[in-house]
Amino acid sequence: MQDVHRQDAYRLFGIELSPYSVKVRAYLRFKQLPHVWLTRDASTQAEFERYARLPLVPLVVSPAGDGLQDSTPIIEELERRHPEPSIRPESQLTGFVSDLLEEFADEWGNKWMFHYRWARDVDQWSAAGRIARIMQPTASDEDVRVAAERVRARMIGRMGFVGSNEQTGPLIERSFQQAIGLLEAHLERRPYLLGARPALADFGLFGELYEAWTDPTAGALIEARAPALLAWIQRMCFPDVEGPFEAWSDLRATLLPLLRDQVAKLFLPWSAANEQAIQQRSERFELPLDGSIWTQQPQKYHAKSLAVLREKYAECRKDVELGELMRATGCHDVLAARG
Ligand SMILES: N[C@@H](CCC(=O)N[C@@H](CS)C(=O)NCC(=O)O)C(=O)O
């Protein structure tokens, strides 16, 4: 049994159904950093509030007592404190591709997960029931059912925040199905996205795809169509170094289509339109995407992480091969724009 009072370890406050929480947990496991997983519930709320600036999980409290939030900065800070084994390929090009895919996973991949989880009755009840039970492990079935109904209503009400609605639902589902096909082809040949050891991109995509796999509808799609992806999801629960990162020339054939057909065609145009809507203080934005019209209210958080991604791209601007790849895939313009 884990000693939940241990103060000489990282304390990770999370929820099993939160993609960003399981992303950080997989990272801590990979780094073999001593840590305690704490479900954020009534019993841990007081400690959570002492360290959290935002009411969001995951929260990591270090043994020295500093609180870290937001999965990407959490991982980056822990990488600085504990550099080995590194999750960053030595090549600047693959390193940036990893950053880009992580951002794509956190922001666009989250739409797949959230949409599939809350769009249909069967998935809503599965997730709401699990959340309600985790929050009240000793409650009666009847109390859990009542709590699940509340969770279900609250989460359905939040679908609009990630842009899932009747108009966008079919596009989100097409994007997910295409993405798992592309990832399947890529992961048939290697244990992790960038070779024989996990990179930042693996942790980001794992969070979303692990959660999707636990849900009935998205999980059935993964199981039916993507056995290598499923094996990767299971590997990523306890990731390990199995060998070196691969050269871009080896990754290119099956990773380029993901950058071109998903990151450049869907995610980055959406990012740019979302950013513009925030700047113009619009309540909604619309853009043509994949043959239909995307419409949603702007997502504030995302504009900040897009700015960070652009800074990372600017830092790599001397890498000619990266510039060529970003141009060839159609990613360059949004990444190089001033914002
Ligand atoms: N960008 C943040 C997102 C964190 C986030 O959205 N967390 C969700 C759960 S996945 C949350 O805490 N929602 C409010 C709640 O559960 O009370 C990260 O990467 O950590």
Side-chain angles (χ1 to χ4, degrees), residues 15 17-21 23 40 55-58 69-72 74 106-107 158 301:
I15 294 177
L17 279 86
S18 146
Y20 306 103
S21 300
K23 169 187 174 187
R40 185 197 154 188
L56 295 176
V57 289
Q69 273 181 298
D70 200 337
S71 60
T72 310
I74 291 173
D106 282 1
E107 303 298 325
R158 289 190 188 174
Y301 175 80

